[in-house]
Amino acid sequence: MKQKHAVIIAVLGLIMTIGAIPAASQEKASDNMQIVIEKIRADKKLLVSENMQLTESEAKAFWPVYKQYQDELFLLRTRTVNLIKAYSDAYAAMTNERAKKLMDEFIAIEALGLKLRQAYLPKFRKVLPEVKVARYYQIENKVQAALMYEFAADIPLMKLNK
């Protein structure tokens, strides 16, 4: 159990370092980012693999669907990181108009996340028994909750104009 927690912490730690990579040059930063992204994906795949107990035939069918899902999920998470950066940039001089745009983007990301989970549910159901589909979604939910907790811990509440 401790090993599973360590993998989750490692994945989250790597996710959190994405924004902290120094950029000596645009190309170097891009290379560094790609290395970090690949490490995150490998660690998360290991976490999923260790917890799914897939048979050989299940694994053969599951991993391609998993990869497609992760690619789309990555786009949503990138959008979330961009939203957090936009919030950070606007924090000191927040306006009602900017707050509305940020809130609208947050709701759009949440809605797209739900649509993505709904779209992939039948795909996962085609390749896995229902219990393993539920377990996979539990793993994804735990990773998402831990990630959102980390983000929330570092994001201050919006200032109110007096």
Side-chain angles (χ1 to χ4, degrees):
M1 187 62 118
K2 286 184 181 183
Q3 182 183 12
K4 292 173 190 172
H5 290 291
V7 173
I8 290 174
I9 290 167
V11 169
L12 292 174
L14 285 170
I15 289 170
M16 298 312 293
T17 62
I18 287 175
I21 296 175
S25 70
Q26 196 68 4
E27 190 174 303
K28 181 73 172 163
S30 177
D31 290 345
N32 287 343
M33 182 63 73
Q34 191 59 39
I35 291 167
V36 170
I37 290 168
E38 304 225 354
K39 176 73 172 139
I40 291 168
R41 287 183 177 203
D43 287 350
K44 184 174 179 192
K45 188 174 181 181
L46 177 63
L47 173 71
V48 171
S49 179
E50 287 179 349
N51 284 279
M52 288 298 294
Q53 301 171 3
L54 299 171
T55 66
E56 191 174 319
S57 63
E58 288 170 345
K60 185 177 180 180
F62 172 78
W63 291 116
V65 178
Y66 171 87
K67 183 178 181 330
Q68 290 174 336
Y69 181 66
Q70 292 305 306
D71 289 346
E72 291 191 47
L73 193 57
F74 179 77
L75 295 175
L76 270 183
R77 293 209 170 123
T78 300
R79 197 165 163 181
T80 300
V81 169
N82 290 337
L83 173 64
I84 292 167
K85 183 180 179 335
Y87 174 75
S88 176
D89 292 346
Y91 180 76
M94 187 63 66
T95 64
N96 283 327
E97 180 182 331
R98 188 69 186 140
K100 181 185 183 309
K101 286 180 182 177
L102 292 168
M103 193 65 210
D104 290 347
E105 176 67 357
F106 170 74
I107 295 299
I109 292 168
E110 291 292 307
L112 288 170
L114 177 59
K115 285 181 184 177
L116 183 62
R117 289 187 299 276
Q118 288 172 328
Y120 272 85
L121 186 56
K123 295 176 183 184
F124 284 116
R125 283 178 167 160
K126 280 185 179 180
V127 299
L128 293 176
E130 200 62 40
V131 171
K132 287 188 178 181
V133 172
R135 184 175 180 97
Y136 173 66
Y137 271 67
Q138 282 181 310
I139 294 166
E140 283 293 341
N141 286 338
K142 286 178 182 282
V143 169
Q144 178 71 9
L147 180 59
M148 290 301 107
Y149 176 80
E150 287 295 319
F151 283 156
D154 293 334
I155 299 171
L157 287 175
M158 191 167 295
K159 290 182 181 179
L160 297 176
N161 296 331
K162 295 181 181 180

